[in-house]
Amino acid sequence: SSGINAEWPLRPGFLLILLVLLFTAPISVTSTLSGSDFRIISSGASTTSSGLLLYNWGTVCNDYFTDNSASAICKAMGYEGYIAWSSGSKYSIQDNYDIKLDDVVCSSTHISSCSYKLTENCRHHEDIHLTCQIQCASTSCLPCPTNHYKPISTGSAVSSCTACPTYSTAEPEPAVCECQAGKYMSTSNTCVDCPAGSVSMEGSTSPSQCFSCSQGQLWRWDGKYRGSCDSCGQNTFKNSNMTSCEDCPEDATSSAGSAFCTCKAGQFWNERTCQGCPEGSASRRGEECVRCPAGTEPTENKTACGCGDGMSWNW
């Protein structure tokens, strides 16, 4: 006998280790990626052909990323190919995004050859920045000017740039225009206002990216197209038609989360400001103005109605 126990692989401890390795090891996914999954944005979060690479609005980690990966993604997005790629924390906005894609391994420059992982063990200093080559209609390419764009084409190259719709902008060399904050790009390629009292980020592409809060609450962004409602602070207010909290007028106050402010005596609240009571009326602090009884007149500061001799005003 050689002294080796032929049954050692069957021992319970060894089997347990095998099971742990089998079910905890990350598994690469066979490619279902497409060009519509990806977007390249600038430091200002506008769409461009050179900048931070995003996958479903999350960043892409550089683990196992190669020239084939860069070329396959650019081509899938409709570009001629890639010019350069790198990684790093280059934009302050990177921390606003989750890391959503890792280990993009491509055996060729076609997206169908790529495998990937949706789990990651990365930090934002490993985010991919990619520069894609725009298709040319001739041997000489010129970038579209500011506030003009050229749609990405997977077929024949487009030879002219189109002016952005009203209320939208684009940096030089863009593939799309982005609507201003508070609007979204409709399917007819026009910028549409979000519903009254709701907000959106610049570059929003659907009404689902417009968000609103109850009266007295403000929407606070904590990432691209993500956020939550937070109460307005003390001595501020926000009604249902407003998108931000505003300070109360001088001498007016409010508690946190208020839709209105409490005006001083002699005034009344008029949606967004305090106004003096109309002629012939008076008010207590924070209350509506009331008409003074016949034969009486309001005091000079309209905080009470003046009574005759031997009488006093009682609220």
Side-chain angles (χ1 to χ4, degrees), residues 263 268-275:
C263 301
F268 70 99
W269 181 251
N270 186 18
E271 293 189 0
R272 298 182 72 158
T273 188
C274 291
Q275 291 186 351

Side-chain angles (χ1 to χ4, degrees), residues 147-151 161-170 175-179 183-192 204-206:
N147 297 333
H148 288 69
Y149 75 105
K150 189 200 81 171
C161 301
T162 304
C164 287
T166 306
Y167 306 117
S168 69
T169 57
V176 297
C177 297
E178 297 195 333
C179 294
K183 303 176 184 293
Y184 65 91
M185 187 69 76
S186 70
T187 54
S188 60
N189 204 40
T190 58
C191 293
V192 179
S204 295
T205 57
S206 76

Side-chain angles (χ1 to χ4, degrees), residues 262-263 267-269 277 283-289 315:
T262 300
C263 301
Q267 296 182 333
F268 70 99
W269 181 251
C277 287
S283 73
R284 287 198 295 183
R285 177 176 178 81
E287 295 187 2
E288 295 294 321
C289 300
W315 285 106

Side-chain angles (χ1 to χ4, degrees), residues 67-309:
D67 292 350
N68 276 355
S69 308
S71 183
I73 291 172
C74 283
K75 287 182 177 180
M77 295 172 68
Y79 292 104
E80 191 77 23
Y82 89 99
I83 296 175
W85 67 273
S86 60
S87 57
S89 295
K90 301 181 181 183
Y91 298 164
S92 59
I93 61 172
Q94 288 176 228
D95 288 339
N96 294 339
Y97 301 92
D98 295 329
I99 302 171
K100 289 193 174 180
L101 193 64
D102 193 12
D103 292 5
V104 182
V105 179
C106 304
S107 58
S108 73
T109 60
H110 195 280
I111 199 71
S112 64
S113 73
C114 302
S115 62
Y116 59 93
K117 293 175 184 173
L118 298 178
T119 57
E120 48 78 24
N121 55 352
C122 305
R123 300 292 181 90
H124 282 298
H125 69 270
E126 300 172 89
D127 288 346
I128 291 292
H129 294 255
L130 180 61
T131 299
C132 294
Q133 174 65 55
I134 296 177
Q135 291 181 346
C136 293
S138 66
T139 57
S140 177
C141 282
L142 295 175
C144 289
T146 301
N147 297 333
H148 288 69
Y149 75 105
K150 189 200 81 171
I152 294 175
S153 174
T154 56
S156 59
V158 179
S159 59
S160 62
C161 301
T162 304
C164 287
T166 306
Y167 306 117
S168 69
T169 57
E171 295 183 356
E173 203 174 302
V176 297
C177 297
E178 297 195 333
C179 294
Q180 300 171 359
K183 303 176 184 293
Y184 65 91
M185 187 69 76
S186 70
T187 54
S188 60
N189 204 40
T190 58
C191 293
V192 179
D193 289 331
C194 287
S198 61
V199 298
S200 69
M201 272 193 166
E202 181 183 11
S204 295
T205 57
S206 76
S208 66
Q209 293 169 347
C210 298
F211 300 93
S212 63
C213 297
S214 302
Q215 294 188 121
Q217 291 190 321
L218 170 71
W219 181 265
R220 297 191 186 278
W221 299 104
D222 57 19
K224 192 72 173 179
Y225 308 127
R226 296 183 305 176
S228 59
C229 293
D230 193 13
S231 294
C232 293
Q234 189 175 9
N235 296 329
T236 66
F237 72 99
K238 175 183 164 295
N239 62 36
S240 59
N241 293 319
M242 297 167 59
T243 58
S244 61
C245 305
E246 294 185 6
D247 291 334
C248 289
E250 185 177 1
D251 296 327
T253 60
S254 73
S255 57
S258 292
F260 61 90
C261 298
T262 300
C263 301
K264 67 181 182 180
Q267 296 182 333
F268 70 99
W269 181 251
N270 186 18
E271 293 189 0
R272 298 182 72 158
T273 188
C274 291
Q275 291 186 351
C277 287
E279 289 297 321
S281 62
S283 73
R284 287 198 295 183
R285 177 176 178 81
E287 295 187 2
E288 295 294 321
C289 300
V290 296
R291 196 81 179 166
C292 289
T296 66
E297 291 291 334
T299 58
E300 183 177 357
N301 56 11
K302 298 184 178 180
T303 59
C305 296
C307 299
D309 292 342

